[in-house]
Amino acid sequence: IIEQITGGNALKKLIFALTALCISAAGLFAQEQAAAKSELRQLVNTPTAGVLGRGQYEFGMRLFANGGVLTNINVGISNRFMIGISYGGENFIGTGKVNFNPEPGVDVRYRIIDESIIGPGVTVGFDNQGFGRYLKKIQPSDSTKVNRYSQKARGLFAAASKNYAFMGNIGFHGGINWDVTEKKDKDNQLNFFLGVD
């Protein structure tokens, strides 16, 4: 039996199996460490307290009705401060003339309080990127101009997030925002948002 185990092929298979096991364990550990450093920055259309770390970056793309495409890039300047820019328009997919958004969107965030065992992390920021079709028309009811996206931008916001290690991760997020870019909009008021992941 010892001769069979220590034979050339059996020994190579054993060494290969042990090496593969070690590499897999190291990979799982690296993924766990990366997940611990990676924070959720957006929950559907609402911001969280997450920010990119220094030197991290991300690219994103969103598709919406009428062949619309919205792309963005975000960069972590420090472990507390990140900036991003987005741009897009309608009719990128399909036929017809492309209708570009009138201006690029900007996303700036600064973490003022880090998350701790006791309290949530808190981030303040500004995001002028709305979603969907850009509406540029006059409302017939009151003859006022509407210049905004079908889903309004967040504008100035403050978001708080608290995460717990439960079956992986469970996070609770909430915040308040005010879209200062839409001064003529009758719906220009403080909004509150909550979410769980």
Side-chain angles (χ1 to χ4, degrees), residues 40 43 48 115 160-166 168-174 194-197:
L40 185 66
L43 188 60
T48 68
E115 185 174 344
S161 297
K162 183 74 177 104
N163 294 282
Y164 298 94
F166 176 74
N169 181 70
I170 183 167
F172 298 92
H173 313 277
L194 295 170
V196 177
D197 76 278

Side-chain angles (χ1 to χ4, degrees), residues 4 7 18 42 63 86 109 113 119 132 150-151 163 180:
Q4 289 175 349
L18 288 174
Q42 197 81 3
L63 305 176
S86 56
R109 300 180 189 203
I113 300 173
S150 55
Q151 282 187 283
N163 294 282
V180 294

Side-chain angles (χ1 to χ4, degrees), residues 5-80:
I5 292 174
T6 58
N9 287 336
L11 187 59
K12 287 178 183 175
K13 288 179 184 177
L14 181 63
I15 291 171
F16 176 77
L18 288 174
T19 305
L21 182 64
C22 290
I23 290 171
S24 297
L28 289 173
F29 179 74
Q31 285 178 349
E32 185 179 315
Q33 294 292 73
K37 292 180 182 178
S38 177
E39 300 176 338
L40 185 66
R41 288 167 297 286
Q42 197 81 3
L43 188 60
V44 187
N45 290 333
T46 58
T48 68
V51 294
L52 289 171
R54 181 176 182 260
Q56 292 182 327
Y57 61 91
E58 69 179 354
F59 294 98
M61 179 183 290
R62 177 187 292 247
L63 305 176
F64 56 93
N66 301 319
V69 177
L70 181 67
T71 60
N72 69 290
I73 181 170
N74 297 316
V75 178
I77 305 301
S78 73
N79 289 333
R80 291 180 172 271

Side-chain angles (χ1 to χ4, degrees), residues 9 24 30 32 58 81 100 103-104 107 110 125 156 176 184:
N9 287 336
S24 297
E32 185 179 315
E58 69 179 354
F81 180 63
F100 289 100
E103 56 191 28
D107 186 358
Y110 183 77
L156 291 172
I176 185 169
K184 294 182 180 178

